[in-house]
Amino acid sequence: REKGDNHRFLVSYPINRLSFKVSFPKNKPYTKFHLKSALGIECTAGDFQDYPNPNVQEDIDKETGAKTITWVIDSPKLQWIYEIVWEW
């Protein structure tokens, strides 16, 4: 997308930990990001809310120089969608 993009993950079976790591092109780093979640099926939830107290780390990849975001969710809820939304 021109102004930003997103990545979603639907928790369709019980897991202990969900970990997202998004690496951005060095020539197109994100400027802002939001972490959201919602109850939903087939990644089509309509009521995303900001995720409270996220375990998130921003970094720079040492090999490529690209900005990265890593978000770790302990005990994610079954049938919930977790989403990273960013702006360029």
Side-chain angles (χ1 to χ4, degrees):
R1 294 183 207 161
E2 189 176 317
K3 294 183 179 182
D5 215 336
N6 71 319
H7 181 73
R8 292 180 177 174
F9 186 87
L10 170 66
V11 178
S12 57
Y13 56 91
I15 56 176
N16 293 325
R17 178 176 280 179
L18 173 62
S19 181
F20 279 99
K21 183 172 184 178
V22 180
S23 295
F24 297 86
K26 190 174 180 180
N27 64 342
K28 195 172 185 183
Y30 66 91
T31 58
K32 286 199 257 187
F33 69 92
H34 307 281
L35 306 173
K36 299 182 172 283
S37 63
L39 177 61
I41 297 175
E42 298 176 11
C43 285
T44 58
D47 190 25
F48 278 90
Q49 302 293 319
D50 288 334
Y51 190 82
N53 304 312
N55 176 1
V56 64
Q57 179 180 358
E58 297 177 74
D59 207 352
I60 303 290
D61 184 288
K62 291 176 182 154
E63 290 182 25
T64 65
K67 289 175 80 172
T68 64
I69 299 171
T70 303
W71 180 22
V72 177
I73 301 138
D74 289 318
S75 303
K77 296 177 185 176
L78 190 60
Q79 299 302 321
W80 275 70
I81 298 167
Y82 296 88
E83 177 182 50
I84 298 176
V85 180
W86 61 85
E87 296 174 27
W88 302 117

